[in-house]
Amino acid sequence: MSIKSLLPFFMLFFLLIACEEEDNEPDHYIASEEFSEGIFYTEYHAEGINFSIETTDSATFVPAEDKTTMDISESGNVTGQYEPGLYWVRINWENEESDLLPVVVTPHPQEAKNTIYALSHMEEESDNFILVLRHVNANTGEDVGDESGIQDWWMSCDPDIARQIDDNGKYKAKTIGNNITKVKMPVSLGISSEFCRAKQTFEFMGVEFPVQIDGRLNHHTHNVSPNSTYQNLEDIIIENPQESGVLLIVGHSNLLDDNPYSDLIGDLNMADGFLMKREGEQINFVGAVPFWYWSLLCDCLQRIKGVQ
């Protein structure tokens, strides 16, 4: 066989070697096991946090300008008192590239990772998820109570009769609605308590899907069911199996009553919530959804989907 006839085989051989060498050339990235899909998760401790960010290539770390940040050493070490929440640090790579890294401080890192992953991938996988929220901030007006003699006062949208959503609540409802749209979460049905502040949480989200009213989600003082609100919640979920899409439920602080996951949820402040998923006959807890998760999705969703 002539050398000329072997030339195509030599070319293919060298091409394969070149491709293999290119594939083995590492890009710089964060190697810490706490890092997932562009986010670094660290566990909150009341006595303080202590962690180190490991990278494959040389890099220096600095606090992020103009963002909630941390006191981080150039080598990527953080030690100190930080409350649960979202923080940012800047990575300066050796090749002069720079990245902003979101750091999530949470009492339950694995649940947080699972929940943020699920929320940010709703476009690809949304079936059987249930997002449960406490209504957004409602500090305009006061509840007159039963002593007023006004029938069904809690359904009123008059601030002289019942508490209504304030400007902060409107902002939070719009933020949640915008991010539901941004992550392409296909909400197929909303269910609200009878209280106006719960119904208007849906309205101020600015998204379109059918909304039902269910008195079993009412605050415990005017709940139509003798069962705990969490038991009512499970009953409502079972009664509303969605063939596709997400079930979105808005209620009140008593969603924590007899809730077996209350320790994982923590304080259910207005606009906070939690994510659940139907698995056959089971309704499983995924994780808490504090309001600031939406800021994380808003600020860096596109970035984290593009980060290794």
Side-chain angles (χ1 to χ4, degrees):
M1 184 177 293
S2 67
I3 294 179
K4 185 176 180 180
S5 64
L6 291 173
L7 186 59
F9 296 100
F10 284 118
M11 292 178 64
L12 179 59
F13 175 76
F14 287 115
L15 180 61
L16 290 173
I17 292 177
C19 290
E20 184 176 350
E21 289 176 350
E22 183 178 346
D23 290 341
N24 290 334
E25 184 178 347
D27 293 322
H28 55 243
Y29 62 91
I30 296 171
S32 303
E33 62 180 15
E34 299 94 336
F35 181 72
S36 176
E37 286 217 323
I39 302 174
F40 190 94
Y41 296 86
T42 188
E43 186 171 0
Y44 166 79
H45 296 284
E47 62 273 18
I49 63 176
N50 185 355
F51 66 86
S52 180
I53 303 174
E54 300 175 5
T55 58
T56 56
D57 290 355
S58 296
T60 58
F61 295 80
V62 294
E65 64 281 2
D66 302 325
K67 284 185 174 289
T68 304
T69 189
M70 297 177 141
D71 186 12
I72 188 167
S73 71
E74 286 192 358
S75 60
N77 297 315
V78 174
T79 302
Q81 296 279 346
Y82 292 94
E83 292 299 311
L86 173 62
Y87 300 85
W88 297 82
V89 297
R90 183 170 291 281
I91 310 173
N92 295 316
W93 299 99
E94 193 173 39
N95 64 357
E96 298 184 354
E97 291 182 1
S98 179
D99 288 322
L100 274 173
L101 174 67
V103 178
V104 169
V105 179
T106 171
H108 309 289
Q110 188 58 54
E111 285 78 8
K113 186 183 299 185
N114 294 342
T115 304
I116 292 172
Y117 179 89
L119 291 172
S120 60
H121 288 78
M122 283 290 177
E123 182 180 6
E124 299 96 39
E125 183 181 353
S126 62
D127 294 352
N128 298 313
F129 279 107
I130 304 99
L131 177 60
V132 184
L133 300 176
R134 183 183 176 187
H135 62 78
V136 295
N137 300 56
N139 295 309
T140 296
E142 294 184 7
D143 292 339
V144 296
D146 293 341
E147 58 273 16
S148 67
I150 299 175
Q151 185 176 9
D152 298 339
W153 59 265
W154 59 89
M155 299 186 193
S156 174
C157 295
D158 184 343
D160 291 331
I161 297 176
R163 281 171 40 215
Q164 305 298 314
I165 293 176
D166 55 31
D167 288 342
N168 190 24
K170 293 176 183 178
Y171 160 77
K172 288 185 176 181
K174 184 177 180 179
T175 298
I176 295 171
N178 285 344
N179 280 281
I180 284 176
T181 300
K182 182 173 292 186
V183 300
K184 299 182 179 179
M185 180 188 298
V187 178
S188 54
L189 177 65
I191 302 180
S192 167
S193 88
E194 294 178 333
F195 280 66
C196 184
R197 51 186 178 261
K199 293 183 288 185
Q200 286 189 336
T201 295
F202 281 110
E203 294 176 20
F204 288 117
M205 283 183 189
V207 291
E208 296 183 1
F209 44 79
V211 176
Q212 298 176 1
I213 308 300
D214 197 315
R216 291 174 294 176
L217 293 169
N218 287 0
H219 200 273
H220 63 84
T221 54
H222 293 87
N223 200 294
V224 301
S225 168
N227 298 326
S228 70
T229 306
Y230 183 78
Q231 181 59 60
N232 291 336
L233 173 66
E234 286 202 334
D235 291 343
I236 291 169
I237 292 172
I238 292 170
E239 293 166 12
N240 291 276
Q242 302 301 294
E243 293 184 2
S244 63
V246 177
L247 178 62
L248 177 53
I249 296 174
V250 175
H252 302 266
S253 59
N254 56 325
L255 287 164
L256 289 180
D257 291 354
D258 291 335
N259 191 318
Y261 309 106
S262 58
D263 289 344
L264 295 172
I265 297 170
D267 296 331
L268 190 65
N269 299 310
M270 288 182 279
D272 288 349
F274 50 94
L275 188 67
M276 307 187 78
K277 187 173 185 181
R278 186 187 291 105
E279 305 276 3
E281 298 292 321
Q282 293 289 111
I283 302 171
N284 295 326
F285 180 79
V286 180
V289 183
F291 173 74
W292 60 265
Y293 275 20
W294 300 106
S295 297
L296 173 65
L297 294 174
C298 179
D299 287 346
C300 65
L301 178 61
Q302 299 305 318
R303 182 187 295 115
I304 66 177
K305 284 196 171 184
V307 174
Q308 301 219 8

